[in-house]
Amino acid sequence: MMGPTLRTWLLAVVHVVAAQSLTNSTFSSAVPSSAWSPPNTSTTTTASSSSSFLTSLPVTTTSATPLPATTTSTTLTSVATETGPLTWPISEYPFTPFPTPTLAPIPPVYPETDPLNPPPIGTDYNVVPDFAPAWAAAYGKAQSMIANFTIEQKVNITTGVGWMNGLCVGNIPTVANFPGLCLQDSPLGVRFTDFVTAFPAGITAASTWNRALIRARGLALGQEFYAKGVNVGLGPMMNMGRVAQGGRNWEGFGADPFLTGEAAYETILGLQQSGIQATAKHYINNEQEWKRTQESSNVDDRTEHEIYAHPFLRSVMAGVSAVMCSYNLVNDTYACNNYKILSDILKREYGFQGYVMSDWGATMNTLSAVAGLDMTMAGDITLGSGTTYFGANLTAYVMNNTVSEARLDDMATRIIAAWYYMHQDQGYPNVTVDSFHPYNPLNQEVNAQSNHDQLVRQVAAAGTVLLKNEGNALPLTKPKSIVLVGSDAAPPVSGPNEYADQGGDPTGILAMGWGSGTTNFTYLISPYEAIQARAREDQTTVSWDFDNWNLDQAGNDAIPAEVAIVFINSDSGEAYITVDGNVGDRKNLTAWHEGDQLVLAVAAQNNNTIVVVNSVGPLIIEPWVDHPNVTAIVWASLGGNEAGNAIVDILYGAWNPSGRLPYTIAKNASDYPAQLVLGGTATDILSIDYTEGLYIDYRWFDAQNITPRYEFGYGLSYTTFEYSQLVITPIDASVDSAQEDLIQNWENGGASPIAEGSSTALWLHMPLFQVTFNVENTGPVYGGEIPQLYVHHPPSAGEPPSILKGFTNIELVPGQTGQASITISRYDLSVWDVVRQGWAKPNGTIGFSIGASSRDFRLNGTFPV
Ligand code: NOJ
């Protein structure tokens, strides 16, 4: 008999599957797009689940079975297309494979780089790694492998086996000597298995503003994917947090393209160093969850290039293997069917050599292959339908010349090349996850955790931002008594995996959001456990009250304590799960579980009230931020399985806070430049016009003179820093004559050319100026500062007043002065010229500031260009 736990887990999976399915269509070939119907997004998942089972139950292990991909007797008239039955090759779709860039490596600025051996972590990015030779070698091997493949075999390389038909969330079948691929979520841990680490979320990693820690997190995460035999890790996620309420913002790196780009760059270098393929997702403009498969993000070309595409450019420069196109439409064409974004920007402009996979069920037709889609995931038209737009349909299209065989060769070559490029042909571990059978002992065969708990604790502490600290309330110094108030301080009532994909109302500490961007917790340290253990060292009296709803009791409990610490949170996630009416996106920007009232109730009784916030993104904290009894605010983000220990490290000063906000905390929700677009009918495509253009987050607040509560880049320390001695030094690196011509052209006001790899070219990205300055620790304790460089373009450029273009970190003992350095490239100073379709230097003086946040400038200069 099926036990209750197994049954509830299965129910949860059924919910997930139902909600992820786009339609119940059972067409056996490509369906007309009019037959497409919207997803059911109103599922509430409250079922309890856990996959950390130590007992083994009989399970059926499903091996990867390909969807029907072969067809030997295709009758052209029997194949449906998006415009009706196909009777003849409908048109010519010219296709030219994009060659790998051929520029000779110029070390040290442009060293030939193998992804398993990335450049060392710099304090800034003054090395431009050159992955082209590695790609070229991999292409050679891939081309030989497919030389004798049939059309059907090549198609099978591009077609996932279908949802829940394999061990991983995505599976490419074995084809001849190619063993196939396991593709697995998520950006913060290996999903759907046991003995893995729940790393701090992307938003927490970004809050560290620390390249070394971001790289280390990527590497450790990659090592866990590798240990479990996963070929392709489905991260990092780099959407932009355009809308503060966006449900999946926490999976990404905040609301600034430069910070997101650098975090993506370091994460990918780390992930791929481990030997796994990284996936840059979701390309592009999937900025809200509501109607994500039914909205057109309408974005102008300049905004697309400068804001949303930039992190993908940096991903390509990090040598990323795969890119996942998103569910939404971009300017009225589905992202996975959008030639402009897939082929023109990504493959032509950025010179991307890897492959584009669809998000799960995001392929909209067979001709997407021509637009630039290389792989359809999970393979089926709608998850679980057993039908596919690739497979037999793609075979037919190639056989009747609708899609050229050269294009199919390119698709298969890119996928196999990425496998060779990552050296996965050399003794790769077997897959030891079984995503859809949590009781399969296979999930426990490999313990991938290593000592990653230490890194998790460090990243979570470094990603914590101290927002307020009055009268040295923090760090705690042997307090006589502490009371912990709020459910967010506690372990979750029914265990760390009380909801499938974390998709339920959190009953304890919030350490990640919900959806596919999650992993199962192997364990989870709550603040309650961590603080109580630490407080014993001082023999402090510790009490607690986890009931958010009894405000009188919370206030009374706070009366006798020397320190009252209130824990509040705010959750969000992916649209296939609805939690308390939040359909992925947050309904509002206020704390969950009456958090504001709880803080006020405690602050009314205790004049040393410290607020700890675990939130997926910005909150409006006006009700209590200025309350005189609220002495400190600790913005603890989403800390993963060491969340409680990291909070202890900040509260007690074992880690001097160095995190900085990766987004703006506003005074009013309406102060933000973009809001969710809601409504829409079951069949309409919702228009989301990005009318704010370049002015997202702090760029908007600056331009509109809106005072935020805490600005982008803000964060306090237990010490203080002073800045001095600004020096700008031109860097004269030698390049070949072709690059010299391009440099001359740029200096004369010309735009970068329209060519393969034009936006990632060496001359554009090599360091042009080195900016150095001194930072002195003028306070009482050792600490790290994050100096930030903001460019101010001349008014004629039409740019926001200040835009982040550099940051570094420097750690100093009291009284010590150190020199910090940030390099700037021509790309950093350029704007996208929509007429000339290239990067160009604006006319006029380009100024910059070095500061401690986007509004706290300490040194100013101009670039001599
Ligand atoms: C859909 C999500 O959008 C994507 O991020 C994820 O990787 C796939 N599902 C696979 O689970």
Side-chain angles (χ1 to χ4, degrees):
M1 214 176 85
M2 196 188 278
T5 317
L6 174 60
R7 215 179 69 235
T8 45
W9 181 85
L10 285 174
L11 280 173
V13 168
V14 168
H15 276 151
V16 170
V17 173
Q20 285 196 340
S21 296
L22 300 183
T23 147
N24 291 327
S25 160
T26 52
F27 285 82
S28 59
S29 57
V31 291
S33 56
S34 57
W36 175 83
S37 64
N40 166 16
T41 48
S42 59
T43 309
T44 302
T45 304
T46 49
S48 190
S49 122
S50 166
S51 73
S52 299
F53 301 102
L54 297 172
T55 49
S56 52
L57 294 172
V59 291
T60 320
T61 305
T62 316
S63 60
T65 333
L67 290 164
T70 53
T71 170
T72 42
S73 56
T74 307
T75 314
L76 295 184
T77 47
S78 71
V79 178
T81 74
E82 40 286 294
T83 50
L86 173 67
T87 51
W88 190 247
I90 30 188
S91 65
E92 299 241 321
Y93 288 93
F95 165 73
T96 320
F98 301 104
T100 48
T102 52
L103 184 67
I106 307 170
V109 66
Y110 194 56
E112 178 173 332
T113 307
D114 186 284
L116 298 193
N117 191 14
I121 300 141
T123 49
D124 50 39
Y125 63 99
N126 44 25
V127 169
V128 182
D130 177 15
F131 294 100
W135 277 119
Y139 266 57
K141 292 178 194 165
Q143 279 154 354
S144 319
M145 180 183 270
I146 67 160
N148 298 318
F149 276 14
T150 61
I151 289 174
E152 290 84 351
Q153 283 176 311
K154 288 183 275 198
V155 165
N156 279 349
I157 298 288
T158 71
T159 309
V161 303
W163 180 237
M164 293 179 81
N165 282 339
L167 294 174
C168 303
V169 298
N171 305 272
I172 291 293
T174 303
V175 177
N177 290 334
F178 183 67
L181 296 172
C182 157
L183 298 85
Q184 190 73 353
D185 293 306
S186 78
L188 61 62
V190 187
R191 186 179 177 206
F192 282 148
T193 191
D194 297 331
F195 296 153
V196 291
T197 299
F199 287 88
I203 198 68
T204 314
S207 304
T208 68
W209 295 61
N210 182 315
R211 286 186 166 80
L213 286 177
I214 297 171
R215 175 89 68 95
R217 172 183 175 273
L219 176 59
L221 173 56
Q223 286 164 340
E224 298 202 8
F225 278 118
Y226 185 92
K228 291 281 187 181
V230 172
N231 300 89
V232 186
L234 300 175
M237 132 82 187
M238 51 193 73
N239 295 26
M240 277 313 312
R242 168 182 180 264
V243 181
Q245 293 89 338
R248 300 184 74 181
N249 292 355
W250 59 273
E251 292 184 48
F253 300 122
D256 175 80
F258 185 85
L259 178 62
T260 298
E262 295 317 286
Y265 177 83
E266 295 296 353
T267 302
I268 290 164
L269 289 182
L271 283 171
Q272 297 204 151
Q273 183 178 354
S274 73
I276 68 142
Q277 302 178 34
T279 308
K281 70 183 187 184
H282 310 92
Y283 191 62
I284 191 172
N285 306 126
N286 183 178
E287 295 289 333
Q288 69 171 51
E289 285 299 281
W290 178 251
K291 301 257 182 211
R292 63 178 176 173
T293 59
Q294 253 183 286
E295 60 96 346
S296 176
S297 292
N298 302 322
V299 194
D300 68 86
D301 189 40
R302 179 166 173 187
T303 300
E304 194 73 302
H305 275 84
E306 294 188 20
I307 306 280
Y308 298 95
H310 168 82
F312 293 91
L313 177 150
R314 291 295 286 152
S315 302
V316 172
M317 292 183 70
V320 76
S321 299
V323 169
M324 183 192 294
C325 51
S326 54
Y327 282 120
N328 53 290
L329 301 87
V330 180
N331 296 329
D332 290 329
T333 301
Y334 272 104
C336 292
N337 190 27
N338 194 313
Y339 185 89
K340 172 71 185 169
I341 68 149
L342 299 185
S343 291
D344 195 41
I345 298 181
L346 183 66
K347 291 183 177 172
R348 196 270 300 164
E349 244 180 62
Y350 296 178
F352 174 55
Q353 303 298 305
Y355 58 94
V356 178
M357 71 176 81
S358 69
D359 201 338
W360 270 231
T363 304
M364 288 297 155
N365 57 48
T366 306
L367 286 177
S368 294
V370 179
L373 182 68
D374 301 304
M375 177 192 280
T376 188
M377 273 292 148
D380 25 21
I381 291 176
T382 60
L383 302 184
S385 68
T387 60
T388 181
Y389 284 121
F390 282 13
N393 286 305
L394 182 55
T395 302
Y397 273 36
V398 174
M399 289 177 76
N400 70 23
N401 236 356
T402 303
V403 174
S404 72
E405 193 165 350
R407 173 68 187 116
L408 176 63
D409 287 353
D410 179 56
M411 295 161 73
T413 302
R414 285 171 176 272
I415 295 164
I416 295 171
W419 177 75
Y420 277 122
Y421 167 76
M422 291 309 310
H423 305 285
Q424 294 188 346
D425 57 318
Q426 293 162 21
Y428 207 76
N430 291 333
V431 178
T432 48
V433 303
D434 187 349
S435 302
F436 305 106
H437 303 97
Y439 303 125
N440 186 345
L442 189 65
N443 282 312
Q444 291 165 6
E445 204 167 290
V446 172
N447 179 354
Q449 298 169 93
S450 182
N451 60 352
H452 297 157
D453 52 339
Q454 293 166 23
L455 179 67
V456 170
R457 184 170 178 163
Q458 235 184 339
V459 174
T464 296
V465 187
L466 181 65
L467 295 180
K468 179 177 179 182
N469 192 16
E470 298 291 320
N472 294 328
L474 291 176
L476 299 175
T477 43
K478 299 185 190 298
K480 290 202 173 51
S481 55
I482 298 178
V483 63
L484 311 176
V485 182
S487 60
D488 186 68
V493 170
S494 308
N497 301 307
E498 58 187 353
Y499 307 113
D501 289 340
Q502 309 298 329
D505 196 354
T507 59
I509 173 136
L510 185 73
M512 65 177 75
W514 75 73
S516 67
T518 56
T519 181
N520 292 335
F521 285 105
T522 300
Y523 72 100
L524 172 58
I525 305 289
S526 71
Y528 157 72
E529 295 152 277
I531 292 174
Q532 188 157 230
R534 173 62 184 80
R536 279 312 299 147
E537 289 178 26
D538 307 327
Q539 305 210 333
T540 301
T541 300
V542 179
S543 182
W544 55 87
D545 177 354
F546 301 146
D547 183 352
N548 281 41
W549 308 102
N550 191 338
L551 298 177
D552 291 342
Q553 181 181 297
N556 288 339
D557 288 341
I559 292 172
E562 186 179 321
V563 187
I565 312 180
V566 188
F567 291 79
I568 61 173
N569 64 25
S570 172
D571 201 0
S572 72
E574 195 174 344
Y576 67 89
I577 303 172
T578 295
V579 179
D580 194 21
N582 298 273
V583 190
D585 305 313
R586 285 188 288 168
K587 287 184 295 191
N588 54 49
L589 295 180
T590 44
W592 284 34
H593 313 132
E594 305 274 354
D596 292 338
Q597 284 71 14
L598 192 66
V599 173
L600 288 170
V602 172
Q605 304 295 344
N606 187 302
N607 66 4
N608 191 13
T609 298
I610 293 169
V611 184
V612 176
V613 184
N614 289 116
S615 177
V616 288
L619 281 178
I620 303 305
I621 54 177
E622 293 307 298
W624 46 264
V625 64
D626 276 335
H627 194 297
N629 289 350
V630 172
T631 50
I633 304 172
V634 175
W635 204 259
S637 201
L638 303 173
N641 49 21
E642 289 285 323
N645 281 331
I647 289 169
V648 158
D649 290 345
I650 294 291
L651 293 176
Y652 282 83
W655 186 281
N656 185 352
S658 54
R660 302 291 180 259
L661 285 178
Y663 43 69
T664 297
I665 296 180
K667 292 187 174 177
N668 305 292
S670 57
D671 289 346
Y672 289 104
Q675 305 294 333
L676 296 170
V677 175
L678 299 173
T681 67
T683 50
D684 283 352
I685 300 293
L686 211 55
S687 278
I688 302 186
D689 300 330
Y690 287 29
T691 49
E692 75 290 343
L694 303 173
Y695 295 81
I696 64 168
D697 202 76
Y698 66 95
R699 300 156 174 248
W700 172 261
F701 286 78
D702 291 350
Q704 300 289 319
N705 264 322
I706 301 169
T707 307
R709 170 50 63 179
Y710 294 115
E711 72 271 16
F712 174 83
Y714 175 86
L716 299 173
S717 163
Y718 295 148
T719 189
T720 49
F721 299 96
E722 274 175 20
Y723 294 56
S724 62
Q725 296 277 332
L726 178 67
V727 178
I728 308 162
T729 314
I731 300 173
D732 191 16
S734 66
V735 285
D736 63 20
S737 57
Q739 302 270 305
E740 273 303 344
D741 291 348
L742 291 164
I743 290 172
Q744 277 298 320
N745 175 52
W746 182 85
E747 282 174 358
N748 296 334
S752 57
I754 297 175
E756 274 102 26
S758 53
S759 286
T760 49
L762 174 61
W763 70 271
L764 195 57
H765 290 274
M766 58 196 266
L768 176 63
F769 296 110
Q770 183 177 31
V771 179
T772 56
F773 47 95
N774 287 348
V775 181
E776 184 186 355
N777 182 342
T778 50
V781 287
Y782 172 77
E785 172 69 326
I786 313 279
Q788 302 158 35
L789 186 152
Y790 292 85
V791 165
H792 315 297
H793 281 292
S796 62
E799 286 287 317
S802 307
I803 51 180
L804 181 74
K805 288 292 178 184
F807 62 88
T808 184
N809 62 298
I810 182 163
E811 285 159 29
L812 301 163
V813 296
Q816 187 188 2
T817 299
Q819 194 185 56
S821 163
I822 293 174
T823 54
I824 290 291
S825 68
R826 291 179 184 84
Y827 175 80
D828 293 328
L829 301 181
S830 300
V831 297
W832 179 254
D833 185 316
V834 294
V835 175
R836 293 179 291 176
Q837 288 290 291
W839 297 100
K841 176 168 71 76
N843 266 333
T845 307
I846 304 177
F848 71 93
S849 301
I850 302 284
S853 82
S854 61
R855 288 185 167 224
D856 180 6
F857 298 146
R858 309 286 180 86
L859 303 168
N860 300 301
T862 56
F863 289 112
V865 280

